[in-house]
Coordinates of all heavy atoms in Angstrom, one line a residue:
G489 N 0.5 11.2 -0.6 CA -0.1 12.5 -0.5 C 0.2 13.2 0.8 O 1.4 13.4 1.1
S490 N -0.8 13.5 1.6 CA -0.6 14.2 2.9 C -0.2 13.3 4.0 O 0.0 13.8 5.1 CB -1.9 14.9 3.2 OG -3.0 14.0 3.4
L491 N -0.1 12.0 3.8 CA 0.3 11.0 4.8 C 1.8 10.6 4.6 O 2.1 10.2 3.5 CB -0.6 9.8 4.7 CG -0.2 8.6 5.6 CD1 -0.4 9.0 7.1 CD2 -1.0 7.4 5.3
A492 N 2.6 10.7 5.6 CA 4.0 10.3 5.6 C 4.2 9.4 6.7 O 3.7 9.5 7.8 CB 4.9 11.5 5.6
V493 N 5.1 8.4 6.5 CA 5.5 7.4 7.5 C 7.0 7.4 7.6 O 7.7 7.1 6.6 CB 4.9 6.0 7.1 CG1 5.3 5.0 8.2 CG2 3.4 6.0 7.0
A494 N 7.5 7.7 8.7 CA 9.0 7.7 9.0 C 9.3 6.6 10.0 O 9.0 6.8 11.2 CB 9.4 9.1 9.4
S495 N 9.9 5.5 9.6 CA 10.1 4.4 10.4 C 11.6 4.0 10.6 O 12.3 4.1 9.6 CB 9.3 3.2 9.9 OG 9.5 2.0 10.7
T496 N 11.9 3.6 11.8 CA 13.3 3.1 12.0 C 13.2 1.7 12.7 O 13.8 1.4 13.7 CB 14.1 4.1 12.9 OG1 13.4 4.3 14.2 CG2 14.3 5.4 12.3
S497 N 12.4 0.9 12.1 CA 12.1 -0.4 12.6 C 13.3 -1.4 12.5 O 13.9 -1.5 11.4 CB 10.9 -1.1 11.9 OG 10.7 -2.4 12.4
P498 N 13.6 -2.1 13.6 CA 14.6 -3.1 13.5 C 14.1 -4.5 13.3 O 14.9 -5.5 13.2 CB 15.3 -3.0 14.9 CG 14.1 -2.7 15.8 CD 13.2 -1.8 15.0
E499 N 12.8 -4.7 13.2 CA 12.2 -6.0 13.3 C 11.5 -6.5 12.0 O 10.7 -5.8 11.5 CB 11.1 -6.0 14.5 CG 10.5 -7.4 14.6 CD 9.5 -7.5 15.8 OE1 9.4 -6.4 16.5 OE2 8.9 -8.5 16.0
R500 N 11.9 -7.7 11.6 CA 11.3 -8.3 10.5 C 10.0 -9.0 10.9 O 10.0 -9.7 11.9 CB 12.2 -9.3 9.8 CG 11.5 -10.2 8.7 CD 12.5 -11.1 8.0 NE 13.2 -10.4 7.0 CZ 14.4 -10.7 6.6 NH1 15.1 -11.7 7.2 NH2 15.0 -10.0 5.6
F501 N 8.9 -8.8 10.2 CA 7.7 -9.5 10.5 C 7.7 -10.8 9.8 O 7.6 -11.9 10.4 CB 6.5 -8.6 10.0 CG 5.2 -9.3 9.8 CD1 4.8 -10.3 10.8 CD2 4.4 -9.1 8.7 CE1 3.6 -11.0 10.6 CE2 3.2 -9.8 8.5 CZ 2.8 -10.7 9.4
L502 N 7.8 -10.8 8.4 CA 7.7 -12.0 7.7 C 8.4 -11.8 6.3 O 8.2 -10.8 5.6 CB 6.2 -12.4 7.4 CG 6.0 -13.6 6.6 CD1 6.5 -14.9 7.3 CD2 4.5 -13.8 6.2
K503 N 9.2 -12.8 5.9 CA 9.8 -12.8 4.6 C 9.4 -14.1 3.9 O 9.4 -15.2 4.6 CB 11.3 -12.8 4.7 CG 12.0 -12.9 3.3 CD 13.5 -12.9 3.5 CE 14.2 -13.0 2.1 NZ 15.7 -13.0 2.3
I504 N 8.9 -14.0 2.7 CA 8.7 -15.2 1.9 C 9.5 -15.0 0.6 O 9.3 -14.0 -0.1 CB 7.2 -15.4 1.5 CG1 6.3 -15.5 2.7 CG2 7.0 -16.6 0.6 CD1 4.8 -15.6 2.4
A505 N 10.5 -15.8 0.4 CA 11.4 -15.7 -0.8 C 10.7 -16.3 -2.0 O 9.6 -16.9 -1.9 CB 12.7 -16.5 -0.5
S506 N 11.2 -15.9 -3.2 CA 10.6 -16.4 -4.4 C 10.5 -17.9 -4.5 O 9.6 -18.5 -5.1 CB 11.3 -15.8 -5.6 OG 12.7 -16.2 -5.6
D507 N 11.5 -18.6 -3.8 CA 11.5 -20.1 -3.8 C 10.6 -20.7 -2.7 O 10.6 -21.9 -2.5 CB 12.9 -20.6 -3.7 CG 13.6 -20.3 -2.4 OD1 12.9 -19.7 -1.5 OD2 14.7 -20.6 -2.2
G508 N 9.9 -19.8 -2.0 CA 9.0 -20.3 -0.9 C 9.5 -20.4 0.5 O 8.8 -20.8 1.4
G509 N 10.8 -20.0 0.6 CA 11.4 -20.0 2.0 C 10.7 -18.9 2.8 O 10.6 -17.8 2.4
M510 N 10.3 -19.3 4.0 CA 9.6 -18.3 4.9 C 10.5 -18.1 6.1 O 11.2 -19.0 6.6 CB 8.2 -18.8 5.3 CG 7.3 -19.0 4.2 SD 5.6 -19.3 4.7 CE 5.7 -20.9 5.4
R511 N 10.4 -16.8 6.6 CA 11.2 -16.5 7.8 C 10.5 -15.4 8.6 O 10.0 -14.4 8.0 CB 12.6 -16.0 7.4 CG 13.4 -15.4 8.6 CD 14.9 -15.2 8.2 NE 15.6 -16.5 8.2 CZ 16.9 -16.7 8.0 NH1 17.6 -15.6 7.8 NH2 17.4 -17.9 7.9
A512 N 10.4 -15.6 9.9 CA 9.9 -14.6 10.8 C 11.0 -14.3 11.9 O 11.7 -15.3 12.3 CB 8.6 -15.0 11.5
E513 N 11.2 -13.1 12.3 CA 12.2 -12.7 13.3 C 11.7 -11.8 14.4 O 12.0 -10.6 14.3 CB 13.4 -12.1 12.5 CG 14.1 -13.1 11.6 CD 15.4 -12.5 11.0 OE1 15.2 -11.7 10.0 OE2 16.4 -12.9 11.4
P514 N 11.0 -12.4 15.3 CA 10.3 -11.5 16.3 C 11.4 -11.0 17.3 O 12.4 -11.6 17.7 CB 9.4 -12.5 17.0 CG 10.0 -13.8 16.9 CD 10.7 -13.8 15.5
I515 N 11.1 -9.8 17.8 CA 11.9 -9.1 18.8 C 11.0 -9.1 20.1 O 9.9 -8.6 20.1 CB 12.3 -7.7 18.4 CG1 13.3 -7.7 17.3 CG2 12.9 -6.9 19.6 CD1 13.7 -6.4 16.8
K516 N 11.5 -9.6 21.2 CA 10.9 -9.4 22.5 C 12.0 -9.3 23.5 O 12.8 -10.3 23.6 CB 10.0 -10.6 22.8 CG 8.6 -10.4 22.4 CD 7.9 -9.4 23.3 CE 6.6 -8.9 22.7 NZ 6.9 -7.6 21.9
G517 N 12.1 -8.2 24.2 CA 13.2 -8.0 25.1 C 14.0 -6.8 24.7 O 14.6 -6.8 23.6
T518 N 14.0 -5.7 25.4 CA 14.7 -4.5 25.1 C 15.4 -3.8 26.3 O 14.9 -3.9 27.4 CB 13.7 -3.4 24.5 OG1 12.9 -4.0 23.4 CG2 14.3 -2.2 24.1
R519 N 16.6 -3.3 26.0 CA 17.3 -2.5 27.0 C 17.9 -1.3 26.2 O 18.3 -1.3 25.1 CB 18.5 -3.3 27.6 CG 18.2 -4.5 28.4 CD 17.5 -4.1 29.7 NE 17.3 -5.3 30.5 CZ 16.3 -6.2 30.4 NH1 15.4 -6.0 29.4 NH2 16.2 -7.3 31.1
G520 N 17.8 -0.1 26.9 CA 18.4 1.1 26.4 C 19.9 1.0 26.3 O 20.5 0.3 27.1
R521 N 20.5 1.8 25.4 CA 22.0 1.9 25.3 C 22.5 2.9 26.3 O 21.8 3.8 26.8 CB 22.4 2.3 23.9 CG 22.0 1.3 22.8 CD 22.6 0.0 22.9 NE 24.1 0.1 22.9 CZ 24.8 0.0 21.8 NH1 24.2 -0.1 20.6 NH2 26.1 0.1 21.9
S522 N 23.8 2.8 26.7 CA 24.5 3.7 27.5 C 25.7 4.2 26.8 O 26.4 3.5 26.1 CB 24.9 3.0 28.9 OG 25.7 3.9 29.6
S523 N 26.1 5.5 27.1 CA 27.3 6.0 26.5 C 28.6 5.5 27.2 O 29.7 5.6 26.7 CB 27.3 7.5 26.7 OG 27.2 7.9 28.0
S524 N 28.4 4.8 28.4 CA 29.5 4.2 29.1 C 29.7 2.8 28.6 O 28.8 2.0 28.7 CB 29.2 4.2 30.6 OG 30.1 3.3 31.3
P525 N 30.8 2.4 28.0 CA 31.0 1.1 27.5 C 30.8 0.0 28.5 O 30.2 -1.0 28.2 CB 32.5 1.1 27.0 CG 32.8 2.5 26.7 CD 32.0 3.3 27.8
A526 N 31.2 0.2 29.7 CA 31.1 -0.8 30.8 C 29.6 -1.0 31.1 O 29.1 -2.1 31.2 CB 31.9 -0.4 32.0
E527 N 28.9 0.1 31.3 CA 27.5 0.1 31.6 C 26.7 -0.5 30.4 O 25.7 -1.3 30.6 CB 26.9 1.5 32.0 CG 25.5 1.5 32.4 CD 25.0 2.8 32.8 OE1 25.8 3.8 32.9 OE2 23.8 3.0 33.0
D528 N 27.1 -0.1 29.2 CA 26.4 -0.7 28.0 C 26.5 -2.2 27.9 O 25.6 -2.9 27.6 CB 26.9 0.0 26.8 CG 26.0 -0.1 25.6 OD1 24.8 0.2 25.7 OD2 26.5 -0.6 24.5
T529 N 27.7 -2.7 28.2 CA 27.9 -4.1 28.2 C 27.1 -4.8 29.3 O 26.6 -5.9 29.1 CB 29.4 -4.4 28.4 OG1 30.2 -3.8 27.3 CG2 29.7 -5.9 28.4
A530 N 27.0 -4.2 30.4 CA 26.2 -4.7 31.5 C 24.8 -4.8 31.1 O 24.1 -5.8 31.4 CB 26.4 -3.9 32.8
L531 N 24.3 -3.8 30.4 CA 22.9 -3.8 30.0 C 22.6 -4.9 29.0 O 21.6 -5.6 29.1 CB 22.5 -2.4 29.4 CG 22.4 -1.2 30.3 CD1 22.4 0.1 29.6 CD2 21.1 -1.4 31.2
R532 N 23.5 -5.1 28.1 CA 23.4 -6.2 27.1 C 23.4 -7.5 27.8 O 22.6 -8.4 27.5 CB 24.5 -6.0 26.1 CG 24.4 -6.9 24.9 CD 25.5 -6.6 23.9 NE 25.2 -7.1 22.6 CZ 25.6 -8.3 22.1 NH1 26.2 -9.1 22.9 NH2 25.3 -8.7 20.9
T533 N 24.3 -7.7 28.8 CA 24.4 -9.0 29.5 C 23.1 -9.2 30.3 O 22.6 -10.3 30.4 CB 25.6 -9.0 30.4 OG1 26.8 -8.8 29.6 CG2 25.8 -10.3 31.2
D534 N 22.6 -8.1 30.9 CA 21.4 -8.3 31.7 C 20.2 -8.8 30.8 O 19.4 -9.6 31.2 CB 21.0 -6.9 32.3 CG 19.7 -7.0 33.1 OD1 19.6 -7.7 34.1 OD2 18.7 -6.3 32.6
L535 N 20.1 -8.2 29.6 CA 19.1 -8.7 28.7 C 19.3 -10.1 28.3 O 18.4 -10.9 28.3 CB 19.1 -7.8 27.4 CG 18.1 -8.2 26.3 CD1 16.6 -8.2 26.8 CD2 18.2 -7.3 25.1

Side-chain angles (χ1 to χ4, degrees):
S490 60
L491 173 67
V493 180
S495 178
T496 57
S497 174
E499 182 176 358
R500 171 177 277 151
F501 161 44
L502 178 66
K503 177 181 180 180
I504 304 178
S506 56
D507 64 2
M510 296 192 289
R511 170 167 288 185
E513 296 186 282
I515 291 176
K516 268 288 163 268
T518 303
R519 295 291 186 276
R521 299 294 303 271
S522 171
S523 58
S524 164
E527 184 178 350
D528 197 52
T529 300
L531 288 166
R532 192 174 195 268
T533 301
D534 178 65
L535 177 60

